[in-house]
Amino acid sequence: MAALQSSMTGLSLSSNSFLGQRFSPVTFPSLLPGKSTEKQCPIVMKLKRWERKKCKPNSLPILHKMHVKLGDTVQIITGSERGKVGEITRIFKHNSTVIVKDLNLKTKHVKSREEGEPGQIIKIEGPIHSSNVMLYSKDQKVASRVGHKVLDNGKKVRYLVKTGEIIDSSENWKKLKEETTKKPEEAAAAAA
């Protein structure tokens, strides 16, 4: 009987054994406005059925910096449209792609919306990754990398490395703003 008691005392749960360890209380980070919590982004923003945007911890999409802007004249340097020149009409910063006017055309089959209306086959401009385009100088007919410099008046501008031509001039921005303001007005006039 004494042997049995000694074996039972050997099996007793002590503070050092695995089963006898106390569980440390789970501490949740406080949700006070002054303290920040570091979590991975649980939210995935929906772009298309098969595509997802990567998010920052505050659930905003990650936007990539690109060397091109809306309205720039670019030359495509790779792919089936290689060597062609066009103007950027749209930019997608979440996946670093651009749409160049009248280039990289894709065929889209559109179903009829109403009963009597026939379906259509239309051509739409497909996106091109920004690394596959280079800024282009219309004056000297040459593609170049982009550089950044600060002018004497303290304004930071982009310029073409090969030619030294400044891209971000005030005339270009005024022309671009006029074009973008005309488009909604034209669409409203066409709808009326």
Side-chain angles (χ1 to χ4, degrees):
M1 187 72 173
L4 186 59
Q5 282 182 339
S6 65
S7 65
M8 291 299 276
T9 56
L11 290 176
S12 67
L13 299 175
S14 65
S15 62
N16 294 337
S17 68
F18 173 73
L19 295 172
Q21 280 184 348
R22 291 184 184 167
F23 289 107
S24 60
V26 179
T27 56
F28 292 100
S30 62
L31 299 176
L32 297 175
K35 294 187 178 181
S36 64
T37 59
E38 293 184 1
K39 293 193 314 186
Q40 294 295 325
C41 176
I43 300 172
V44 179
M45 296 185 69
K46 188 174 181 182
L47 178 66
K48 290 183 181 174
R49 258 183 284 142
W50 59 88
E51 209 171 31
R52 299 283 183 255
K53 288 184 188 179
K54 292 181 183 172
C55 294
K56 295 188 268 185
N58 60 358
S59 301
L60 293 175
I62 295 173
L63 301 178
H64 303 285
K65 288 186 178 180
M66 293 196 288
H67 67 286
V68 291
K69 291 185 180 179
L70 195 69
D72 286 347
T73 304
V74 293
Q75 181 179 27
I76 298 177
I77 56 174
T78 58
S80 60
E81 303 279 332
R82 181 180 180 175
K84 295 183 180 175
V85 178
E87 186 178 332
I88 292 180
T89 57
R90 202 161 171 205
I91 289 180
F92 302 105
K93 288 190 174 184
H94 67 274
N95 59 0
S96 297
T97 56
V98 296
I99 290 183
V100 183
K101 187 175 184 180
D102 297 330
L103 293 178
N104 196 27
L105 295 175
K106 307 288 183 189
T107 304
K108 184 174 182 180
H109 297 259
V110 182
K111 283 187 176 181
S112 60
R113 292 188 178 180
E114 297 174 7
E115 213 167 286
E117 182 184 350
Q120 295 177 336
I121 298 175
I122 58 172
K123 297 275 187 180
I124 59 168
E125 299 153 344
I128 303 169
H129 198 269
S130 64
S131 66
N132 295 336
V133 297
M134 272 183 107
L135 287 168
Y136 187 78
S137 172
K138 290 180 185 175
D139 301 334
Q140 300 189 8
K141 309 279 189 221
V142 65
S144 172
R145 288 180 293 123
V146 66
H148 299 274
K149 65 180 173 182
V150 179
L151 298 177
D152 296 334
N153 59 5
K155 187 176 178 184
K156 187 177 178 182
V157 294
R158 297 179 304 146
Y159 72 99
L160 297 178
V161 173
K162 280 187 183 175
T163 62
E165 178 184 337
I166 293 177
I167 305 164
D168 294 333
S169 63
S170 58
E171 296 89 28
N172 290 350
W173 284 109
K174 286 178 185 175
K175 183 181 87 171
L176 183 64
K177 284 186 180 181
E178 288 172 7
E179 288 176 3
T180 54
T181 55
K182 284 181 185 177
K183 287 180 183 177
E185 292 170 3
E186 291 173 2

